[in-house]
Amino acid sequence: VIVQGNSMLPTFQSGTRIFICKAAWLVGAPKDNDIVVVKLSGTGEYIIKRVYRVAGERVDPLWSPLFWRGAGAYLVPEGQIYLLGDNREISEDRRIFGPVDVHSVVGKAVFN
């Protein structure tokens, strides 16, 4: 996968090539701090982000989609994961769009 954009700086520069593992059974289900590639439903667009929280975990109020609406912490629903870009100042991530279905994960970054 080739990273496009600056949402994962400083971890990945735009243009960086990374390897992803599509065989989830080899590397396990997504967990906090994993870097994953996700295919977004509707648009078919691929994004690369860091798993911030998984189903059943609370998202800190500062990183919550509810923060922007004046509410508190957010609980990730079952079957979902909550993703953030490493460059949080500019990343268009789950704070705007909400969590994604865990089945939309194409693969995990294993090394670059």
Side-chain angles (χ1 to χ4, degrees):
V1 173
I2 300 174
V3 176
Q4 294 180 355
N6 296 317
S7 72
M8 287 300 290
L9 286 173
T11 307
F12 298 118
Q13 304 279 334
S14 187
T16 301
R17 292 175 184 266
I18 62 169
F19 291 96
I20 64 169
C21 180
K22 291 184 174 183
W25 54 271
L26 284 176
V27 292
K31 61 185 183 307
D32 293 357
N33 219 26
D34 282 346
I35 296 173
V36 295
V37 173
V38 172
K39 184 176 183 180
L40 298 176
S41 62
T43 66
E45 176 186 3
Y46 291 89
I47 61 170
I48 182 168
K49 301 290 181 190
R50 188 174 299 275
V51 176
Y52 181 66
R53 296 290 184 257
V54 297
E57 293 183 329
R58 291 201 177 279
V59 174
D60 299 329
L62 183 59
W63 305 118
S64 169
L66 303 176
F67 174 77
W68 308 108
R69 297 181 193 107
Y74 173 78
L75 186 66
V76 180
E78 285 302 313
Q80 306 280 303
I81 56 175
Y82 195 83
L83 307 172
L84 294 176
D86 286 356
N87 188 353
R88 304 229 167 105
E89 295 294 319
I90 66 156
S91 180
E92 291 183 6
D93 50 36
R94 300 299 91 189
R95 292 172 288 175
I96 298 169
F97 303 110
V100 296
D101 190 294
V102 72
H103 298 297
S104 65
V105 174
V106 175
K108 283 187 191 184
V110 288
F111 55 89
N112 65 331

